[in-house]
Amino acid sequence: MEAPPNGVEDRADRTPLVEARGLTKEYPRGGGVTRVVDGVSFVILPGESLGLVGESGSGKSTVARMLLRLIEPTSGEVLFEGQPLPPASSARLRDLRRRMQIVFQDPYAALNPRMRVHQILLEPFKIHRETPAGGTQARLRELLHSVGLDESALPRYPHEFSGGQRQRINIARALALRPSLLVLDEPVSALDVSVGAQVINLLRDLQRTLGLTYLFISHSMPLVRYLCDRVAVMQHGRLLEIGDCMQVCEAPSNPYTRQLIAATPAMPPAGAPAL
Protein backbone atom coordinates (compact mmCIF):
# COMPACT_ATOMS: atom_id res chain seq x y z
CA MET A 1 0.00 0.00 0.00
CA GLU A 2 1.43 3.34 -1.00
CA ALA A 3 2.19 5.63 1.91
CA PRO A 4 0.35 8.98 1.89
CA PRO A 5 2.47 11.92 0.80
CA ASN A 6 3.89 14.01 3.59
CA GLY A 7 5.46 16.97 1.84
CA VAL A 8 8.72 16.54 3.77
CA GLU A 9 11.17 14.69 1.57
CA ASP A 10 10.86 16.83 -1.53
CA ARG A 11 11.29 20.02 0.52
CA ALA A 12 14.13 18.83 2.76
CA ASP A 13 16.51 21.40 1.29
CA ARG A 14 14.62 24.21 3.01
CA THR A 15 14.11 24.82 6.71
CA PRO A 16 10.42 24.72 7.67
CA LEU A 17 8.82 27.01 10.20
CA VAL A 18 6.43 24.22 11.21
CA GLU A 19 6.64 20.48 10.72
CA ALA A 20 4.00 17.92 11.64
CA ARG A 21 5.27 14.34 11.94
CA GLY A 22 2.80 11.48 12.06
CA LEU A 23 0.11 13.33 14.00
CA THR A 24 -2.57 10.96 15.27
CA LYS A 25 -5.52 11.68 17.53
CA GLU A 26 -7.81 9.10 19.10
CA TYR A 27 -10.82 9.53 21.39
CA PRO A 28 -12.48 6.86 23.59
CA ARG A 29 -15.79 5.64 22.22
CA GLY A 30 -18.02 2.78 23.32
CA GLY A 31 -15.30 0.81 25.02
CA GLY A 32 -12.90 1.33 22.12
CA VAL A 33 -11.29 4.28 20.37
CA THR A 34 -12.13 6.42 17.36
CA ARG A 35 -9.18 7.67 15.34
CA VAL A 36 -10.05 11.14 13.98
CA VAL A 37 -6.56 11.96 12.65
CA ASP A 38 -4.34 9.21 11.30
CA GLY A 39 -0.61 9.82 10.78
CA VAL A 40 -0.71 13.29 9.20
CA SER A 41 2.65 14.81 8.22
CA PHE A 42 3.51 18.04 6.40
CA VAL A 43 5.77 21.06 6.53
CA ILE A 44 5.07 24.78 6.22
CA LEU A 45 7.92 27.02 5.11
CA PRO A 46 8.41 30.58 6.42
CA GLY A 47 6.18 33.03 4.55
CA GLU A 48 4.19 30.24 2.92
CA SER A 49 0.45 29.52 2.95
CA LEU A 50 -0.60 25.88 3.21
CA GLY A 51 -4.27 25.16 2.60
CA LEU A 52 -5.77 22.21 4.48
CA VAL A 53 -9.00 21.14 2.78
CA GLY A 54 -11.59 18.42 3.18
CA GLU A 55 -15.23 17.91 4.01
CA SER A 56 -16.67 18.38 7.50
CA GLY A 57 -15.37 15.72 9.87
CA SER A 58 -12.18 15.06 7.91
CA GLY A 59 -10.00 16.08 10.87
CA LYS A 60 -8.77 19.48 9.63
CA SER A 61 -9.51 21.45 12.80
CA THR A 62 -8.16 18.66 15.00
CA VAL A 63 -4.87 18.86 13.11
CA ALA A 64 -4.80 22.63 13.65
CA ARG A 65 -5.38 22.31 17.37
CA MET A 66 -2.66 19.69 17.71
CA LEU A 67 -0.32 21.92 15.74
CA LEU A 68 -0.83 24.68 18.33
CA ARG A 69 -0.88 22.26 21.29
CA LEU A 70 -4.43 23.29 22.14
CA ILE A 71 -4.96 19.53 22.35
CA GLU A 72 -2.31 16.85 22.80
CA PRO A 73 -1.76 14.33 19.99
CA THR A 74 -2.14 10.65 20.79
CA SER A 75 1.08 10.12 18.88
CA GLY A 76 3.37 12.07 16.58
CA GLU A 77 5.07 15.40 17.14
CA VAL A 78 5.14 19.00 16.00
CA LEU A 79 8.37 20.90 15.40
CA PHE A 80 8.52 24.69 15.40
CA GLU A 81 11.70 26.14 13.91
CA GLY A 82 13.25 22.68 14.13
CA GLN A 83 12.49 22.13 17.84
CA PRO A 84 9.76 19.80 19.18
CA LEU A 85 6.90 21.61 20.88
CA PRO A 86 6.95 21.06 24.65
CA PRO A 87 3.91 19.74 26.59
CA ALA A 88 0.92 22.06 27.01
CA SER A 89 1.80 22.65 30.68
CA SER A 90 5.33 23.82 29.88
CA ALA A 91 6.41 27.42 30.51
CA ARG A 92 8.39 27.24 27.28
CA LEU A 93 5.21 26.61 25.31
CA ARG A 94 3.71 29.73 26.87
CA ASP A 95 6.55 31.75 25.34
CA LEU A 96 6.13 30.02 21.97
CA ARG A 97 2.46 30.98 21.87
CA ARG A 98 3.56 34.52 21.08
CA ARG A 99 4.76 33.14 17.76
CA MET A 100 1.68 31.00 16.96
CA GLN A 101 -1.86 32.36 16.91
CA ILE A 102 -5.27 31.21 15.66
CA VAL A 103 -8.29 32.91 14.10
CA PHE A 104 -11.45 30.90 14.73
CA GLN A 105 -14.43 30.29 12.48
CA ASP A 106 -17.12 32.13 14.46
CA PRO A 107 -16.12 35.79 14.81
CA TYR A 108 -18.66 36.49 17.55
CA ALA A 109 -18.09 33.41 19.74
CA ALA A 110 -14.34 34.15 19.73
CA LEU A 111 -14.88 37.56 21.36
CA ASN A 112 -15.89 38.15 24.98
CA PRO A 113 -19.20 40.06 24.71
CA ARG A 114 -18.54 41.80 28.04
CA MET A 115 -15.22 43.27 26.95
CA ARG A 116 -14.70 46.41 24.92
CA VAL A 117 -12.41 46.25 21.91
CA HIS A 118 -9.54 47.95 23.71
CA GLN A 119 -9.75 45.31 26.45
CA ILE A 120 -9.85 42.51 23.86
CA LEU A 121 -6.75 43.81 22.10
CA LEU A 122 -4.93 44.41 25.38
CA GLU A 123 -5.51 40.86 26.61
CA PRO A 124 -2.52 39.26 24.78
CA PHE A 125 -0.17 41.86 26.27
CA LYS A 126 -1.52 41.26 29.78
CA ILE A 127 -1.28 37.48 29.47
CA HIS A 128 2.33 37.67 28.31
CA ARG A 129 3.21 40.61 30.57
CA GLU A 130 4.45 42.68 27.69
CA THR A 131 4.36 46.43 27.11
CA PRO A 132 4.22 47.36 23.43
CA ALA A 133 7.12 49.38 22.11
CA GLY A 134 5.97 52.93 21.40
CA GLY A 135 3.13 52.76 23.90
CA THR A 136 -0.02 50.72 24.36
CA GLN A 137 -2.51 53.08 22.74
CA ALA A 138 -0.31 53.60 19.70
CA ARG A 139 -0.04 49.82 19.25
CA LEU A 140 -3.82 49.35 19.55
CA ARG A 141 -4.43 52.01 16.91
CA GLU A 142 -1.80 50.38 14.69
CA LEU A 143 -3.50 47.01 15.02
CA LEU A 144 -6.90 48.39 14.12
CA HIS A 145 -5.55 50.31 11.14
CA SER A 146 -3.80 47.16 9.89
CA VAL A 147 -7.18 45.40 9.60
CA GLY A 148 -9.07 48.33 8.11
CA LEU A 149 -10.65 49.76 11.28
CA ASP A 150 -9.92 52.93 13.23
CA GLU A 151 -9.59 53.96 16.86
CA SER A 152 -13.32 54.74 17.14
CA ALA A 153 -13.74 50.97 17.58
CA LEU A 154 -11.76 50.89 20.83
CA PRO A 155 -14.55 51.78 23.33
CA ARG A 156 -17.22 49.65 21.62
CA TYR A 157 -18.51 46.14 22.37
CA PRO A 158 -18.49 43.20 19.91
CA HIS A 159 -22.28 43.29 19.39
CA GLU A 160 -21.93 46.80 17.92
CA PHE A 161 -20.03 45.45 14.90
CA SER A 162 -20.94 43.47 11.81
CA GLY A 163 -19.65 39.92 11.35
CA GLY A 164 -16.87 41.04 9.04
CA GLN A 165 -15.76 43.76 11.46
CA ARG A 166 -15.73 41.25 14.33
CA GLN A 167 -13.48 38.96 12.31
CA ARG A 168 -11.16 41.88 11.63
CA ILE A 169 -10.96 42.45 15.40
CA ASN A 170 -10.12 38.77 15.88
CA ILE A 171 -7.36 39.09 13.30
CA ALA A 172 -6.03 42.24 14.99
CA ARG A 173 -5.89 40.41 18.33
CA ALA A 174 -4.05 37.49 16.72
CA LEU A 175 -1.48 39.93 15.33
CA ALA A 176 -0.94 41.76 18.63
CA LEU A 177 2.28 39.96 19.62
CA ARG A 178 3.67 39.89 16.07
CA PRO A 179 3.42 36.10 15.53
CA SER A 180 5.16 34.18 12.77
CA LEU A 181 2.36 31.65 12.23
CA LEU A 182 -1.38 32.22 11.91
CA VAL A 183 -3.74 29.26 11.85
CA LEU A 184 -6.90 30.35 10.07
CA ASP A 185 -9.72 27.90 10.85
CA GLU A 186 -12.47 28.51 8.27
CA PRO A 187 -12.16 32.27 8.94
CA VAL A 188 -14.80 33.37 6.40
CA SER A 189 -17.30 30.50 6.37
CA ALA A 190 -19.62 32.35 8.78
CA LEU A 191 -19.55 35.55 6.70
CA ASP A 192 -21.50 36.75 3.69
CA VAL A 193 -19.74 36.08 0.40
CA SER A 194 -18.80 39.69 -0.36
CA VAL A 195 -17.64 40.35 3.23
CA GLY A 196 -15.68 37.11 3.25
CA ALA A 197 -13.92 38.10 0.03
CA GLN A 198 -12.83 41.36 1.66
CA VAL A 199 -11.43 39.48 4.66
CA ILE A 200 -9.56 37.07 2.38
CA ASN A 201 -8.01 39.99 0.51
CA LEU A 202 -7.06 41.52 3.87
CA LEU A 203 -5.34 38.27 4.89
CA ARG A 204 -3.47 38.20 1.59
CA ASP A 205 -2.27 41.80 2.07
CA LEU A 206 -1.24 41.16 5.68
CA GLN A 207 0.83 38.16 4.66
CA ARG A 208 2.70 40.19 2.08
CA THR A 209 3.20 43.15 4.41
CA LEU A 210 4.13 41.28 7.59
CA GLY A 211 5.75 38.15 6.14
CA LEU A 212 3.28 35.86 7.90
CA THR A 213 3.04 32.11 7.53
CA TYR A 214 -0.47 30.63 7.22
CA LEU A 215 -2.16 27.31 7.79
CA PHE A 216 -5.48 28.00 6.10
CA ILE A 217 -8.29 25.53 6.81
CA SER A 218 -11.17 25.50 4.37
CA HIS A 219 -13.67 23.34 2.51
CA SER A 220 -13.35 25.50 -0.62
CA MET A 221 -10.74 24.55 -3.21
CA PRO A 222 -11.24 27.79 -5.21
CA LEU A 223 -10.62 29.86 -2.09
CA VAL A 224 -7.52 27.85 -1.20
CA ARG A 225 -6.20 28.24 -4.74
CA TYR A 226 -6.58 32.01 -4.46
CA LEU A 227 -4.81 32.39 -1.11
CA CYS A 228 -2.39 29.48 -0.75
CA ASP A 229 0.90 28.31 -2.21
CA ARG A 230 0.30 24.62 -1.49
CA VAL A 231 -2.69 22.50 -0.59
CA ALA A 232 -3.10 19.34 1.51
CA VAL A 233 -6.26 17.28 1.06
CA MET A 234 -7.73 15.28 3.96
CA GLN A 235 -10.44 12.63 4.15
CA HIS A 236 -11.44 10.54 7.19
CA GLY A 237 -8.44 11.78 9.14
CA ARG A 238 -5.84 10.88 6.53
CA LEU A 239 -3.76 13.07 4.25
CA LEU A 240 -4.47 11.97 0.68
CA GLU A 241 -2.61 14.48 -1.46
CA ILE A 242 -0.30 17.45 -1.01
CA GLY A 243 1.40 19.68 -3.52
CA ASP A 244 1.56 22.97 -5.36
CA CYS A 245 -1.88 24.56 -5.25
CA MET A 246 -2.25 25.25 -8.97
CA GLN A 247 -0.93 21.82 -9.89
CA VAL A 248 -3.27 19.97 -7.53
CA CYS A 249 -6.28 22.03 -8.59
CA GLU A 250 -5.61 21.58 -12.31
CA ALA A 251 -4.36 17.97 -12.28
CA PRO A 252 -5.32 16.23 -9.02
CA SER A 253 -3.87 12.75 -8.59
CA ASN A 254 -6.33 11.43 -6.00
CA PRO A 255 -9.95 10.54 -6.88
CA TYR A 256 -11.27 12.23 -3.74
CA THR A 257 -9.50 15.49 -4.67
CA ARG A 258 -11.17 15.34 -8.08
CA GLN A 259 -14.55 14.85 -6.38
CA LEU A 260 -13.88 17.76 -4.03
CA ILE A 261 -13.05 20.05 -6.94
CA ALA A 262 -16.06 18.88 -8.94
CA ALA A 263 -18.35 19.61 -5.99
CA THR A 264 -17.32 23.27 -5.80
CA PRO A 265 -18.04 26.11 -8.26
CA ALA A 266 -15.82 26.57 -11.29
CA MET A 267 -12.35 27.84 -10.48
CA PRO A 268 -12.19 31.66 -10.62
CA PRO A 269 -9.63 33.57 -12.63
CA ALA A 270 -6.47 34.56 -10.79
CA GLY A 271 -7.06 37.54 -8.51
CA ALA A 272 -10.77 36.84 -7.94
CA PRO A 273 -11.52 34.85 -4.77
CA ALA A 274 -14.54 32.56 -4.74
CA LEU A 275 -16.10 31.50 -1.43
Side-chain angles (χ1 to χ4, degrees), residues 8 25-26 41 46 116 120 152 165 174 185 202 212 243:
V8 175
K25 185 64 180 179
E26 296 175 343
S41 301
R116 299 177 189 269
I120 290 170
S152 66
Q165 290 171 324
D185 190 358
L202 169 66
L212 295 167

Side-chain angles (χ1 to χ4, degrees), residues 46-143:
E48 180 181 47
S49 289
L50 175 67
L52 190 59
V53 299
E55 59 196 356
S56 296
S58 61
K60 307 184 301 294
S61 294
T62 303
V63 168
R65 284 158 174 74
M66 288 191 289
L67 204 72
L68 297 175
R69 267 299 192 273
L70 298 179
I71 59 174
E72 293 283 348
T74 304
S75 62
E77 65 177 348
V78 176
L79 280 67
F80 188 82
E81 295 182 331
Q83 299 298 316
L85 286 186
S89 59
S90 167
R92 180 170 162 260
L93 182 61
R94 181 187 177 95
D95 290 335
L96 282 174
R97 291 203 188 282
R98 301 168 182 263
R99 309 282 310 283
M100 306 181 296
Q101 294 292 317
I102 186 169
V103 176
F104 292 101
Q105 178 177 354
D106 187 336
Y108 189 69
L111 299 173
N112 187 332
R114 298 184 177 183
M115 296 176 70
R116 299 177 189 269
V117 170
H118 73 87
Q119 295 172 302
I120 290 170
L121 296 183
L122 275 176
E123 198 169 23
F125 300 106
K126 290 183 177 180
I127 290 171
H128 290 277
R129 300 175 183 176
E130 181 175 312
T131 301
T136 299
Q137 291 305 309
R139 178 59 178 156
L140 298 190
R141 289 193 296 269
E142 179 186 1
L143 286 169

Side-chain angles (χ1 to χ4, degrees), residues 54-250:
E55 59 196 356
S56 296
S58 61
K60 307 184 301 294
S61 294
T62 303
V63 168
R65 284 158 174 74
M66 288 191 289
L67 204 72
L68 297 175
R69 267 299 192 273
L70 298 179
I71 59 174
E72 293 283 348
T74 304
S75 62
E77 65 177 348
V78 176
L79 280 67
F80 188 82
E81 295 182 331
Q83 299 298 316
L85 286 186
S89 59
S90 167
R92 180 170 162 260
L93 182 61
R94 181 187 177 95
D95 290 335
L96 282 174
R97 291 203 188 282
R98 301 168 182 263
R99 309 282 310 283
M100 306 181 296
Q101 294 292 317
I102 186 169
V103 176
F104 292 101
Q105 178 177 354
D106 187 336
Y108 189 69
L111 299 173
N112 187 332
R114 298 184 177 183
M115 296 176 70
R116 299 177 189 269
V117 170
H118 73 87
Q119 295 172 302
I120 290 170
L121 296 183
L122 275 176
E123 198 169 23
F125 300 106
K126 290 183 177 180
I127 290 171
H128 290 277
R129 300 175 183 176
E130 181 175 312
T131 301
T136 299
Q137 291 305 309
R139 178 59 178 156
L140 298 190
R141 289 193 296 269
E142 179 186 1
L143 286 169
L144 287 173
H145 291 161
S146 71
V147 298
L149 299 174
D150 60 42
E151 53 265 38
S152 66
L154 289 171
R156 298 162 63 188
Y157 289 97
H159 73 268
E160 300 179 69
F161 296 92
S162 68
Q165 290 171 324
R166 290 173 196 154
Q167 198 62 299
R168 289 171 186 265
I169 293 167
N170 279 310
I171 294 168
R173 179 177 58 187
L175 295 175
L177 299 175
R178 294 185 168 90
S180 302
L181 172 70
L182 277 191
V183 173
L184 305 162
D185 190 358
E186 299 269 15
V188 298
S189 63
L191 305 178
D192 293 340
V193 171
S194 60
V195 174
Q198 293 170 14
V199 171
I200 288 297
N201 283 324
L202 169 66
L203 290 170
R204 198 179 195 190
D205 292 341
L206 286 170
Q207 185 179 32
R208 292 170 175 170
T209 302
L210 303 177
L212 295 167
T213 302
Y214 289 161
L215 175 64
F216 181 74
I217 298 170
S218 179
H219 61 275
S220 169
M221 289 293 284
L223 189 54
V224 166
R225 190 184 78 162
Y226 175 76
L227 185 66
C228 298
D229 304 298
R230 291 188 302 131
V231 60
V233 181
M234 286 189 68
Q235 184 187 35
H236 303 319
R238 300 196 68 194
L239 187 63
L240 300 182
E241 183 170 1
I242 187 168
D244 176 80
C245 215
M246 294 297 292
Q247 181 179 350
V248 171
C249 288
E250 293 178 3

